[in-house]
C-alpha cells in the first residue's frame, strides 16, 4: 500500500519553504553582511578568510571559484604567489568587488588578446577598466590573474 501526502501537507510544506526562503538573507544583502560579519570584519574579509582556510588545507590546484561564459567554465584555483587566488589576493587584493568584476569580465567582457576577457568604459575612445588573463600551469581555462587597468583602447570610434 502506497501512502501519498495529503494536499494539506503539501500546502504546508510549500508555505514553509517559501517563508524560509524569504527570511534567509541572500549572500549580497545587507542583512547577510551584518549576520556573517564578526566584530569589525566585513563579509569580504570573512569570504577571503574562508578561501584562505581552504587553500591552507588543500593544494594549489584546489578550485575555489567557478566563472562562466555561456557554456564555457573558467576556474580560480588556490594557486601560488605567481598565479591564481593567492597571487590575486597578494598582488591585487581580494574582495567581493574583485570577485564581481572577475565574474562580469568573464560573462560579458570582450576578448583581450591576452587569453582572457576585459571590460571597458562606454565612452569614446574606450578605456579598459578590468582585465583577466587565462592559462596556468594547472589548466588552460584557469584564471592566472585579474586586475584593474586604465589604459586607452587601440580602437578609434
Amino acid at each position: 500500500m502506497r501512502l501519498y501526502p495529503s494536499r494539506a501537507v503539501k500546502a504546508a510544506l510549500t508555505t514553509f519553504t517559501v517563508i524560509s526562503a524569504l527570511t534567509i538573507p541572500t549572500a549580497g544583502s545587507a542583512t547577510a553582511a551584518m549576520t556573517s560579519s564578526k566584530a569589525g570584519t566585513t563579509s569580504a574579509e570573512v569570504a577571503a578568510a574562508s578561501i584562505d582556510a581552504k587553500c591552507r588545507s588543500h593544494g594549489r590546484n584546489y578550485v575555489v571559484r567557478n566563472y562562466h561564459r555561456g557554456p564555457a567554465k573558467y576556474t580560480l584555483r588556490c594557486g601560488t604567489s605567481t598565479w591564481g587566488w593567492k597571487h590575486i589576493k597578494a598582488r591585487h587584493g581580494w574582495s567581493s568587488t574583485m570577485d564581481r568584476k572577475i565574474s562580469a569580465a568573464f560573462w560579458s567582457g570582450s576578448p583581450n588578446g591576452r587569453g582572457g576577457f576585459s571590460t571597458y568604459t562606454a565612452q569614446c575612445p574606450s578605456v579598459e577598466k578590468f582585465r583577466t588573463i587565462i592559462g596556468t600551469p594547472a589548466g588552460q581555462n584557469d584564471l592566472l590573474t585579474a586586475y584593474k587597468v586604465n589604459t586607452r583602447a587601440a580602437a578609434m570610434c
Side-chain angles (χ1 to χ4, degrees), residues 57-122:
S57 62
H58 294 86
R60 67 184 191 162
N61 293 332
Y62 184 77
V63 175
V64 293
R65 290 276 191 270
N66 288 308
Y67 300 99
H68 299 278
R69 183 177 180 94
K73 180 172 85 171
Y74 298 90
T75 55
L76 175 60
R77 297 180 187 270
C78 288
T80 67
S81 62
T82 59
W83 62 271
W85 184 80
K86 289 180 180 179
H87 165 77
I88 293 170
K89 179 185 174 212
R91 294 284 309 270
H92 310 292
W94 183 261
S95 66
S96 58
T97 301
M98 175 64 88
D99 191 31
R100 282 193 305 275
K101 286 181 179 184
I102 293 169
S103 184
F106 279 119
W107 184 252
S108 61
S110 301
N112 61 22
R114 302 278 317 266
F117 303 96
S118 295
T119 55
Y120 297 86
T121 62

